[in-house]
Amino acid sequence: MVLELLEISIASGFKVPPVAKIYIARVLSRWNRKRGARGRMSAELTGQQVIILKEGTSRSRGRDAQKANIIAAKVIAESIKSSLGPKGMDKMLVDGFGDVTITNDGATILEEMEVQHPAAKMMVEVAKTQDDEVGLLKRAEDLLDQDLHPTVIVDGYRIASAKALEILDDIAIKVDPTDKAMLKRIATVSLASKLLAEYEQIAELAVNAVLQVAEKTEEGGYRIDIDDIKMEKKPGESLLDTVLIKGIVLDKEVVHPGMPKRIADAKIALVDSPLEVEKTEFDAKINIENPEQMKSFLDEEEKMLKDMVEKVAAAGANVLLCEKGIDDVAQHYLAKKGILAVRRVKQSDIEKLVKATGAKIMSNLDDLKASDLGKAAIVEERKIGDDKMTFVEGAKNPKAVTILVRGGSERLVDEAERSIHDALCVVRDVVRDPRIVGGGGAPEAEIAKQLRAFAQKQEGKEQLAVLAFANGLEAVPVALAENAGLDPIDIMVQLRAAHEKGQTWYGVDVFEGKAADLKEKGVLEPHGVKMQVIKSASEAAGMILKIDDVIASSRSKDSPGPPKHDGEGGEEGASEY
C-alpha cells in the first residue's frame, strides 16, 4: 500500500513531507528485510542515488559478460593457433623496452604478451601451447545461443572429459622408458616445428641428458627433475657445437692468475661461507698507539686467513668452489698450495655440483674432512667466446649435467634454448609415464569419434555438450591442416573415414598433404601431454563459462605498475587487471 501511494505521489509531482519520507524509508527497510535484499547495486529514493561501487567502476552481467569472456579467451587461443605443427609460423614480439623476441614456442608467446583482460589472463595461466580450448569455447558459444544454461554445458564437458581420458588410456601404447631410439623419435617430433628441426644430434643430446639425471624409484619408475639439467648459453660458433657436459659448467673464472688452470683427478671442496676475516655485528673501535701494534693486528688477520687455507689443504682438496667471497690474502695462499679456486658461485650451481660430484656443502672449514670432498676427472678453465668459464666434468655417475648451447647470435641461442627445453620435457614425460600416442591430431580424432557414439547414450541436454566437446577436440587437426596450407574440410573427411574403419593412428601428414598413419611414420607424442591437454581444456572452458558477472575497478591515475603502499599516491582501493 505504501509503495502504491509513493508511486502515485511521485508521478503526480506531489512533494512528500519530511516526516513521511522517514516513515516510508522505515517501511521500505522492513519490507526489504522481509522479502530478502536482491543485491541491487544502486537504488533511487527521492531523487538521490546510493553509490555502492567506486566511481568509474564498470560492470557487465549475464550473457554480455559470458560473451566478452569467451571472445577474450578465443583471441588468446587464436594468437598461438598459427604456430602449431611443423608448418607453423613464427611470432615477433616487441616488449616495452623495444627488445625483440622471434619464436613459435607457445609458452614463450603467452609469457611475452602483456594481457590485460582478466578472462584472457586465466587462459594464459591454463593454456600453454595447445589449442583445444578455442574449439570448446566456440562450441559452448553456439550452445549458449541455443539458450542452454552454462551449468549444463559445464556438466556435459566434465562428463566428456572423463570419458575422453578413459579412451586415451585405452588407446595409449606402453613402451620401454629406456629405449633410446623411441625417445629420440619423440624428441625429434618436439623439435620438428622449431629452429632445430634439422639437427638430429640435438634430439639425441636431450635423450642422453634426461637418462643421465633419471633416478630409479622403489616402485620401479623413474624420478626426474629438469632443474638438474643446467642450460648455459654462449653466443658464438654454430648450433652444431651445442654439447652435453657430464658435469657442471660455471660462468666464472679462476680467482687468481697464479692458480693452476687445469686440475686432473680433482678433489672438490664446496663451501658456502666466505674465506674472509669475519666482521663484527656491532660497531667496534681499536686504539693503536704504535706501529708494532698495527703490524701484530695485520699479522693476526693474515694468520686467520692462512689457517683457513691450511684446513682446506689438510682435507686433501685441490679445488675450492666457494659461494661467497675469497679474500686476496687467502687467494695468495691458495695459489701457493696449488689449489684452483672459484668464488661467488650461485647457490643453484652449488646444489647441482653436490649431485654431480658427490661433495657435501660445508659451512664451517673446521668440519671439512676428506670424505666431504667431491670427485671429478677434470676441473678446467676454458675460454668460450669472449668469456672464461670453469668446467667440472668427468664424475663417475653425475646426477646433474650441463647443456652448453651455442649459436651465431644471441636471439638464435635463446630460441635454441627454448627448443631444447621442450625436447627435454617430452622425453622426461615418457620416461616417467612410459606410454605414447600418435601425433598429428590422431588421438584427438579417435577420441572425438568415440565421444560421438558415447553422447548418443546420454540422457538430457548434457548430450549436446558432449557432442560439442567431441567437435571441439578436432580443432587440433584442423589447425595443423590450415597451417600447412591444406583444405581442412578435405583432411577432416579423410580422417573421419579412416577412423571409422578402425585406423586409430591416422592423423594429418603435413609433409604429404593428406591423412596418414603417423605411428608408422614415427610421429609420436607422450600420453601425459595429451592427458594434461584434455584436463586443461575442460577446466579452462568450464571456468570461463561459469562467470556471469564481471566487476572491474577503475584504473589508478598513476602510471601502470605494482600496487602502491599507503602514502605512495594513487587512489585508495584502486586496482587494475
Side-chain angles (χ1 to χ4, degrees):
M1 184 65 183
V2 173
L3 287 174
E4 291 172 1
L5 289 173
L6 182 61
E7 288 174 3
I8 294 167
S9 300
I10 292 172
S12 60
F14 176 72
K15 293 186 177 179
V16 183
V19 177
K21 285 183 183 179
I22 295 169
Y23 173 72
I24 291 167
R26 285 178 177 171
V27 172
L28 283 172
S29 176
R30 285 199 298 270
W31 178 72
N32 272 329
R33 283 200 299 271
K34 285 179 182 177
R35 69 192 288 264
R38 292 191 179 178
R40 293 185 177 180
M41 285 297 174
S42 65
E44 196 167 302
L45 182 63
T46 67
Q48 183 176 2
Q49 192 174 20
V50 179
I51 305 296
I52 302 298
L53 295 174
K54 183 179 146 189
E55 186 178 354
T57 300
S58 63
R59 186 185 189 203
S60 58
R61 291 193 288 179
R63 191 58 58 84
D64 289 340
Q66 289 168 339
K67 291 276 188 183
N69 288 339
I70 288 172
I71 289 170
K74 282 164 63 179
V75 167
I76 291 294
E78 291 285 353
S79 67
I80 58 170
K81 182 178 178 180
S82 62
S83 68
L84 294 179
K87 301 286 186 178
M89 305 297 287
D90 290 351
K91 310 289 183 189
M92 178 183 283
L93 306 165
V94 185
D95 65 15
F97 297 102
D99 294 333
V100 177
T101 302
I102 300 173
T103 182
N104 70 347
D105 180 66
T108 305
I109 293 168
L110 294 176
E111 283 171 11
E112 294 290 334
M113 290 169 65
E114 295 182 2
V115 176
Q116 295 295 314
H117 194 282
K121 276 188 173 181
M122 291 194 310
M123 284 289 291
V124 170
E125 291 170 7
V126 176
K128 290 300 180 184
T129 55
Q130 293 294 336
D131 188 51
D132 292 41
E133 290 89 345
V134 69
L136 297 187
L137 287 171
K138 277 181 181 176
R139 268 64 187 189
E141 192 174 17
D142 295 339
L143 294 177
L144 287 172
D145 290 338
Q146 297 172 28
D147 290 331
L148 206 63
H149 196 276
T151 305
V152 176
I153 301 173
V154 172
D155 289 344
Y157 277 6
R158 194 176 294 120
I159 294 168
S161 175
K163 183 63 178 177
L165 292 173
E166 186 184 314
I167 296 167
L168 187 66
D169 288 342
D170 290 341
I171 64 175
I173 305 165
K174 288 190 176 181
V175 293
D176 177 6
T178 58
D179 182 352
K180 285 192 175 183
M182 181 271 300
L183 292 174
K184 184 180 175 183
R185 284 204 300 272
I186 289 172
T188 303
V189 171
S190 168
L191 296 170
S193 61
K194 312 290 183 187
L195 180 73
L196 304 176
E198 300 174 7
Y199 301 93
E200 285 189 13
Q201 63 268 40
I202 300 295
E204 190 171 345
L205 179 148
V207 171
N208 290 336
V210 171
L211 291 178
Q212 182 63 51
V213 302
E215 296 181 72
K216 197 140 192 172
T217 61
E218 294 178 359
E219 294 79 17
Y222 287 90
R223 180 175 58 251
I224 301 165
D225 186 354
I226 286 293
D227 289 337
D228 290 338
I229 303 172
K230 183 184 180 186
M231 303 276 276
E232 193 66 58
K233 302 180 293 182
K234 276 296 168 188
E237 303 295 334
S238 76
L239 289 168
L240 289 171
D241 295 302
T242 298
V243 291
L244 172 65
I245 307 293
K246 290 191 176 181
I248 302 298
V249 177
L250 303 173
D251 194 5
K252 302 282 180 182
E253 59 182 299
V254 175
V255 293
H256 193 279
M259 290 178 179
K261 305 298 182 188
R262 186 178 193 276
I263 297 284
D265 190 22
K267 295 177 178 61
I268 303 163
L270 300 181
V271 180
D272 66 356
S273 59
L275 267 71
E276 298 170 340
V277 176
E278 191 174 353
K279 303 293 188 293
T280 57
E281 294 182 3
F282 50 86
D283 293 334
K285 290 182 180 179
I286 299 175
N287 294 323
I288 296 176
E289 297 176 354
N290 54 59
E292 288 76 17
Q293 288 180 338
M294 172 65 80
K295 185 175 185 304
S296 63
F297 178 77
L298 294 175
D299 288 346
E300 184 61 28
E301 272 199 348
E302 186 174 335
K303 181 177 178 298
M304 291 171 66
L305 293 168
K306 188 176 180 180
D307 287 345
M308 291 182 185
V309 175
E310 290 293 344
K311 289 170 186 174
V312 173
N318 52 16
V319 175
L320 173 66
L321 304 177
C322 183
E323 189 179 328
K324 304 291 174 60
I326 301 176
D327 191 276
D328 290 348
V329 175
Q331 292 178 27
H332 167 72
Y333 284 113
L334 286 166
K336 285 183 71 174
K337 292 282 185 182
I339 297 173
L340 183 154
V342 178
R343 65 180 171 183
R344 307 205 187 283
V345 180
K346 290 189 291 186
Q347 184 183 357
S348 59
D349 288 344
I350 289 283
E351 291 169 357
K352 289 183 179 69
L353 283 162
V354 171
K355 294 183 178 182
T357 66
K360 294 178 183 176
I361 301 173
M362 304 305 297
S363 298
N364 189 344
L365 289 176
D366 293 333
D367 301 329
L368 184 63
K369 305 185 296 293
S371 59
D372 299 323
L373 303 179
K375 294 181 181 178
I378 185 171
V379 176
E380 183 179 18
E381 180 187 87
R382 300 175 193 165
K383 189 165 185 180
I384 305 294
D386 296 330
D387 302 315
K388 291 177 181 177
M389 306 178 80
T390 303
F391 287 67
V392 181
E393 56 182 317
K396 193 171 183 182
N397 185 26
K399 289 302 174 184
V401 297
T402 304
I403 296 175
L404 182 60
V405 185
R406 308 302 307 277
S409 69
E410 195 166 338
R411 289 199 183 106
L412 202 63
V413 170
D414 288 341
E415 182 64 10
E417 182 202 18
R418 288 189 284 266
S419 302
I420 293 171
H421 182 266
D422 287 349
L424 292 172
C425 288
V426 295
V427 174
R428 174 203 60 189
D429 291 340
V430 176
V431 174
R432 287 200 306 200
D433 178 8
R435 290 179 291 174
I436 59 170
V437 294
E444 285 87 353
E446 178 64 22
I447 293 169
K449 183 202 84 171
Q450 294 194 35
L451 273 182
R452 289 191 191 95
F454 172 73
Q456 303 305 320
K457 301 172 186 175
Q458 298 300 304
E459 298 178 359
K461 294 179 180 178
E462 285 81 7
Q463 181 188 102
L464 298 175
V466 175
L467 282 171
F469 191 98
N471 294 331
L473 284 175
E474 293 180 338
V476 170
V478 167
L480 290 172
E482 288 177 347
N483 292 347
L486 307 175
D487 186 337
I489 296 176
D490 287 346
I491 292 296
M492 289 313 301
V493 167
Q494 292 176 34
L495 273 184
R496 288 187 179 183
H499 282 269
E500 287 297 334
K501 294 175 185 174
Q503 295 168 321
T504 305
W505 301 120
Y506 258 61
V508 183
D509 186 341
V510 296
F511 298 106
E512 298 289 335
K514 61 180 183 180
D517 189 332
L518 295 186
K519 178 175 169 287
E520 293 296 323
K521 290 180 176 286
V523 181
L524 306 171
E525 295 182 4
H527 165 273
V529 172
K530 290 296 179 187
M531 180 176 68
Q532 189 57 44
V533 165
I534 292 171
K535 287 180 181 177
S536 299
S538 176
E539 289 169 5
M543 187 166 54
I544 288 170
L545 287 172
K546 291 191 80 171
I547 297 170
D548 74 337
D549 202 341
V550 178
I551 302 170
S553 298
S554 60
R555 284 177 175 273
S556 170
K557 290 181 180 177
D558 293 328
S559 58
K564 295 187 181 257
H565 299 294
D566 293 339
E568 288 186 18
E571 294 184 45
E572 185 180 349
S575 65
E576 64 182 72
Y577 314 164

